[in-house]
Amino acid sequence: QNMAEDTYQKAIEASRKAKEFDRQLEERRNREQYEAWERSQEIQVKRPASSGVAVVKTIARQTRKIDKDSDRVESLKQTARALLEEAALKHRHPIALVRLGNDLMENAEDDAAVEKALEYYRQGGEEGSSEGW
């Protein structure tokens, strides 16, 4: 049970890091876009013909950065998912089983996914989760 809890906690931590990194990334993008807009306004007063260049350069730079940072966020999400699945399926951690069921229900596109989610809820309940059945 200790291994199950450790794995589950690692999954939660990886998920938290992915969300936090994604939030910081969005804040940075917004700040950079605003600063580029401010610069373009200053430039427009001095040289009207080149006012949009600063904005375009910032967007191009952000696009390159976003691709790299998005890969990092995706990697953290994949790690979190793998750890959650390990905690649930290998170690039968009750809360991990329920979370896995919740994830499936959020993205369920067919009856098979719903059935699988219900099975995870049942297993979670059997393992002691009050959210399972």
Side-chain angles (χ1 to χ4, degrees):
Q1 188 67 356
N2 198 18
M3 182 66 136
E5 185 62 28
D6 289 347
T7 305
Y8 178 69
Q9 290 304 321
K10 287 177 185 175
I12 297 300
E13 181 63 18
S15 180
R16 186 195 63 72
K17 283 181 181 177
K19 287 177 185 174
E20 178 62 19
F21 189 73
D22 203 26
R23 183 191 64 74
Q24 290 173 354
L25 189 61
E26 184 65 27
E27 284 179 4
R28 189 178 75 216
R29 274 185 286 222
N30 290 339
R31 185 178 57 251
E32 287 175 356
Q33 286 176 352
Y34 180 75
E35 289 168 357
W37 175 81
E38 282 183 323
R39 283 191 306 273
S40 74
Q41 296 302 305
E42 291 170 6
I43 291 171
Q44 188 173 14
V45 171
K46 296 174 186 173
R47 294 172 287 172
S50 63
S51 64
V53 174
V55 174
V56 171
K57 283 182 178 179
T58 298
I59 291 171
R61 186 179 73 247
Q62 278 185 331
T63 302
R64 288 188 300 274
K65 236 184 200 178
I66 287 168
D67 289 343
K68 187 174 77 171
D69 291 341
S70 294
D71 288 346
R72 182 170 175 210
V73 170
E74 191 56 37
S75 176
L76 285 168
K77 286 180 181 179
Q78 288 174 355
T79 299
R81 177 65 181 206
L83 288 166
L84 181 65
E85 287 177 356
E86 180 183 338
L89 304 176
K90 183 177 178 183
H91 303 295
R92 297 187 53 85
H93 188 280
I95 299 171
L97 285 160
V98 171
R99 284 189 67 151
L100 206 52
N102 290 344
D103 287 352
L104 277 172
M105 289 299 281
E106 285 179 18
N107 303 309
E109 295 180 6
D110 57 21
D111 290 342
V114 172
E115 289 296 320
K116 195 170 188 177
L118 291 174
E119 178 60 22
Y120 289 146
Y121 290 142
R122 185 188 62 70
Q123 290 176 19
E126 286 177 357
E127 295 298 324
S129 172
S130 60
E131 296 174 358
W133 54 273

